[in-house]
Amino acid sequence: MEDTHAFKVSVTAQDDSHALAEARNHQLMLNIKKGGGEAGFSAAETLLAALGACMLTNIQAISQKMHLQIDDARIEFDAVRKDEPPVVTEINYRLVLTSP
């Protein structure tokens, strides 16, 4: 039997620059002003952060299953985004693990 999980997230515009994402009593301020980065994470940065969280979740689960000690884990992303049409065309990452 396959496990399934349901997610509920709402994202609400606060003004011309900010949107508030909410899930499970947690909040994340996002930047929604095109070309501006002062208001918070842009959509592309938020996508990369979510990808990194997924990858680190899997690394943690695998390390526990295999009884591997990982003292530090970090993923560094570089991405390229095209403006018209808006699309991320390239994602590169570097996984840095510290382990005995």
Side-chain angles (χ1 to χ4, degrees):
M1 180 180 244
E2 192 174 308
D3 290 334
T4 60
H5 302 278
F7 298 93
K8 182 174 179 152
V9 176
S10 67
V11 182
T12 306
Q14 302 293 296
D15 56 34
D16 289 343
S17 297
H18 301 86
L20 184 65
E22 298 179 277
R24 300 176 295 105
N25 296 317
H26 296 282
Q27 298 181 333
L28 178 63
M29 189 60 68
L30 304 171
N31 175 46
I32 58 171
K33 184 172 184 171
K34 191 166 183 144
E38 300 79 27
F41 275 33
S42 69
E45 292 164 336
T46 303
L47 176 69
L48 296 173
L51 177 59
C54 288
M55 293 171 73
L56 289 174
T57 299
N58 287 327
I59 289 166
Q60 183 182 45
I62 290 168
S63 69
Q64 289 174 352
K65 278 185 182 178
M66 297 181 68
H67 305 288
L68 298 173
Q69 180 183 337
I70 296 178
D71 297 327
D72 187 49
R74 179 176 75 249
I75 303 171
E76 300 168 351
F77 289 98
D78 290 303
V80 176
R81 181 184 171 276
K82 189 169 91 171
D83 285 337
E84 291 298 327
V87 63
V88 175
T89 59
E90 183 178 330
I91 297 174
N92 296 293
Y93 70 91
R94 179 175 178 227
L95 173 61
V96 180
L97 298 175
T98 303
S99 179

